[in-house]
Amino acid sequence: MVEHLLPVLFAVALWWGSTGLILRLDRLPRATFRWTMLGATALMMAGMAGLWWTAGQRTLAAVYLGVVSAILVWGWIEIAFLTGFITGPRRAPCPAGARGLDRLRAAIAVILWHELAILGVAAIVALLTLDAPNPYGGIAFLALAAMRLSAKLNLFLGVRNFGEAMLPEHLRYLETYFARRRMNALFPFSVLGGTAACVGLVATAAAPGSDMVTATAHTLLASLIALGVLEHAFMVLPIPPEALYRRLLPARPVAFPDDLHVPSCGVVPRAAVPKPHGSRP
């Protein structure tokens, strides 16, 4: 029981706590961002060292430390983007009326440097961990990157909730690249893929021949992916994803591109989204 329950609680606390801390730091005055980025870079380097060291240690402590190290590295990715240090060559709203390939090219331009940074860091993490006795920290990082990529694609293709309250003011132009729909064709495959990965990991963790390290590591990974699937679910549920972090976010009304007087691109006003049968107005 310990090898299953403890990793689940650990993953939830680590996920919620690290996300909440990043959101809180990103709402400090912009003059503090250089110090936030400096601290994040120091922690990222510590995370890389942790991934390298734990990769050769197949112990319970190394499994937990490896996942924590992956979160430290991933935190640098998130902070670099949310503070605006690493985004893309374009820092403006989507051109009015852009559709198809024009909209896709514009959307890629606003996050291009960030995506390249993820690829570069992921390559380093893979080299440090994947061909090692304890690859679980590296797998955790790659799982986070895959879930984040899926989330970005779904936001671009269209979902009910953007989680726009979690965007800092200096990145509000990103909302104009999102499409508001009840669901898109990719979304079911994103959820099914994440769920299938969770089922496979849980099956390995619960297999009779699994030792404590294997069971703990696979439960940790399954928990992280399950939390990513939950984030996806909030995109289409009538509950905003920022509800998870309500106490950490400053109160502000949800604004849409027309409210901000910027051109919109693929955005459908909330009032135009069909409501599920029986829902309140």
Side-chain angles (χ1 to χ4, degrees):
M1 179 64 79
V2 174
E3 66 269 25
H4 301 303
L5 181 58
L6 184 59
V8 171
L9 296 176
F10 184 84
V12 171
L14 188 62
W15 177 288
W16 189 87
S18 59
T19 302
L21 177 60
I22 290 171
L23 291 174
R24 175 59 71 180
L25 289 172
D26 200 50
R27 275 150 180 77
L28 294 175
R30 293 193 69 177
T32 66
F33 285 1
R34 67 182 66 184
W35 299 108
T36 298
M37 194 64 196
L38 183 62
T41 301
L43 290 175
M44 185 265 286
M45 294 174 65
M48 284 290 191
L51 286 171
W52 170 77
W53 184 81
T54 59
Q57 312 293 320
R58 190 172 174 81
T59 65
L60 281 177
V63 168
Y64 280 106
L65 182 56
V67 172
V68 171
S69 298
I71 295 295
L72 291 178
V73 176
W74 183 254
W76 181 87
I77 294 287
E78 294 282 11
I79 288 173
F81 182 74
L82 290 173
T83 55
F85 277 93
I86 303 178
T87 54
R90 180 181 178 84
R91 297 190 179 216
C94 184
R99 296 291 183 271
L101 288 177
D102 289 338
R103 177 174 171 246
L104 177 61
R105 281 194 289 264
I108 291 173
V110 296
I111 59 171
L112 180 60
W113 307 144
H114 182 245
E115 298 307 302
L116 292 176
I118 292 176
L119 285 175
V121 173
I124 295 171
V125 169
L127 287 173
L128 290 175
T129 62
L130 294 191
D131 188 21
N134 175 17
Y136 302 113
I139 295 172
F141 180 90
L142 296 178
L144 291 170
M147 297 302 290
R148 181 62 75 223
L149 175 60
S150 173
K152 290 173 182 173
L153 290 173
N154 278 286
L155 285 169
F156 177 78
L157 295 173
V159 290
R160 179 191 295 270
N161 294 315
F162 297 163
E164 56 266 49
M166 293 190 286
L167 278 176
E169 291 295 334
H170 56 276
L171 294 181
R172 294 297 294 277
Y173 63 86
L174 292 176
E175 295 176 42
T176 65
Y177 295 87
F178 305 157
R180 197 176 294 280
R181 301 187 181 96
R182 292 188 66 180
M183 192 181 293
N184 64 77
L186 174 65
F187 186 84
F189 294 98
S190 296
V191 172
L192 285 173
T195 303
C198 286
V199 170
L201 289 165
V202 169
T204 301
S210 294
D211 58 23
M212 183 72 79
V213 170
T214 299
T216 298
H218 283 75
T219 304
L220 266 174
L221 293 174
S223 300
L224 289 174
I225 294 173
L227 289 165
V229 172
L230 178 62
E231 274 196 347
H232 278 63
F234 271 107
M235 292 182 181
V236 298
L237 293 173
I239 306 171
E242 57 267 23
L244 291 172
Y245 307 99
R246 186 81 68 191
R247 297 185 176 221
L248 301 172
L249 296 171
R252 79 178 182 193
V254 175
F256 295 97
D258 289 341
D259 302 325
L260 298 170
H261 305 291
V262 296
S264 61
C265 175
V267 177
V268 180
R270 185 180 291 275
V273 178
K275 294 181 179 295
H277 179 69
S279 64
R280 295 182 180 181

